[in-house]
Amino acid sequence: MENQYQSRRQIKRRAKAVLRQPGMYKQLMLANLLPWLISVAFAFLAVYTVMQVMLAFGLENVANNPNNFIDYYQGNTAVEQQTMLKSLIMLWFSQSIAFTALDLMRQPDQTVNGWQLIFRTFNSRFFFGILAVYIYTVVFISLGLAVFVIPGIMLMFGLHVAYYVYYDGKTHPDGRYFSALTAVGRAWRLMRGHKFDYFVLQLTLIGWSLLEALTMHVFDVFIQPYLQLVDAGFYATVRQQYDDEQAMLKDDNI
């Protein structure tokens, strides 16, 4: 990635250059506004749920038996259902923005409409496929974590780009029947040798993640556009390298 392909520093510079285009930062912030509002709504719902659980358990019991309360809280089905519901609702919005970020990192000289782009996956072309990718990745990562923590982490990094792969597959001229399972398999092959690169990239961005956490995610709308572009830029670079390698292998076999 350090030679003809973009380095981590170059990916970040390119992301910043995209954001500096007239009106681009504003549109990407607008795109992140609805997902942020959904997250805020679920945050308030979570606080309300915690208060209800505490009242059901008994405030005096919470103070006297905090460990028992933690077990009681973790076993509360309403909390688990809210977490799963939030993940599902956010799934299509987040991937709509991610796909747009990928397009921009590949072809920055284009205009986007923040309000329209967040709905680009709500159609027959992407909707059920994205859901299938989500299910496959959750199942595989959960199985990996069940075996041991390290395999689960490896799968987490290896399958992270599956949504991008699915997008590329479906937008290819011959991609009408491109499947979610194919995307997951190709994502794993594509990330071979790049999982550590992605891990290091995330470490270099940890300051932004800490800022989001310390500010209770109040400023995510301003921070996420940059992080989304960097993430998409990493995939674009790895994908280009993978495609070039595959082309060279075909040429050698001719």
Side-chain angles (χ1 to χ4, degrees):
M1 292 180 59
E2 296 293 329
N3 297 323
Q4 73 267 38
Y5 304 105
Q6 291 188 334
S7 66
R8 288 184 291 272
R9 182 174 296 179
Q10 289 171 328
I11 291 171
K12 293 177 181 179
R13 287 176 179 172
R14 187 173 179 83
K16 292 175 182 177
V18 171
L19 290 177
R20 283 195 292 268
Q21 292 183 171
M24 185 63 69
Y25 189 29
K26 176 183 177 181
Q27 293 302 321
L28 291 178
M29 284 194 298
L30 180 62
N32 279 279
L33 182 60
L34 181 57
W36 178 77
L37 290 173
I38 294 172
S39 296
V40 170
F42 273 97
F44 279 109
L45 181 60
V47 172
Y48 174 78
T49 302
V50 170
M51 295 302 298
Q52 292 296 107
V53 173
M54 290 177 67
L55 291 173
F57 189 76
L59 295 179
E60 185 176 345
N61 290 332
V62 172
N64 296 331
N65 302 291
N67 292 330
N68 291 339
F69 171 71
I70 293 174
D71 293 336
Y72 179 78
Y73 174 78
Q74 291 176 342
N76 188 280
T77 57
V79 176
E80 296 178 357
Q81 291 171 354
Q82 289 173 16
T83 302
M84 182 175 295
L85 181 60
K86 177 188 173 183
S87 298
L88 285 175
I89 292 176
M90 295 291 287
L91 177 62
W92 290 276
F93 292 117
S94 62
Q95 295 312 312
S96 292
I97 300 172
F99 296 162
T100 301
L102 179 59
D103 291 340
L104 290 170
M105 290 298 283
R106 286 172 168 168
Q107 296 180 330
D109 297 328
Q110 55 182 299
T111 59
V112 297
N113 183 300
W115 179 246
Q116 293 179 354
L117 73 85
I118 59 173
F119 298 105
R120 63 180 300 188
T121 57
F122 288 83
N123 51 60
S124 58
R125 189 182 194 184
F126 295 115
F127 189 90
F128 294 105
I130 287 175
L131 179 60
V133 171
Y134 172 81
I135 293 172
Y136 284 132
T137 53
V138 168
V139 169
F140 290 143
I141 292 171
S142 298
L143 289 174
L145 291 172
V147 174
F148 198 60
V149 175
I150 294 179
I153 295 175
M154 294 291 287
L155 284 165
M156 196 178 301
F157 284 113
L159 300 181
H160 171 75
V161 300
Y163 296 102
Y164 293 122
V165 176
Y166 183 74
Y167 174 70
D168 276 344
K170 294 298 288 186
T171 53
H172 190 274
D174 300 325
R176 181 179 178 184
Y177 299 106
F178 192 83
S179 70
L181 187 58
T182 300
V184 171
R186 290 187 183 180
W188 179 255
R189 291 197 299 272
L190 186 147
M191 285 295 286
R192 188 176 298 158
H194 296 289
K195 298 182 207 52
F196 184 72
D197 293 336
Y198 185 70
F199 172 72
V200 174
L201 176 65
Q202 293 306 304
L203 284 181
T204 66
L205 298 171
I206 196 169
W208 293 107
S209 299
L210 289 174
L211 179 61
E212 287 182 328
L214 290 173
T215 56
M216 304 296 290
H217 298 279
V218 172
F219 299 108
D220 284 12
V221 172
F222 304 97
I223 299 172
Q224 279 299 307
Y226 173 66
L227 298 182
Q228 289 156 350
L229 288 168
V230 171
D231 192 72
F234 176 84
Y235 166 76
T237 297
V238 172
R239 180 60 188 257
Q240 184 62 54
Q241 182 174 351
Y242 177 82
D243 289 344
D244 290 348
E245 290 172 351
Q246 294 301 306
M248 289 177 61
L249 289 174
K250 288 182 179 180
D251 292 339
D252 293 341
N253 293 329
I254 295 177

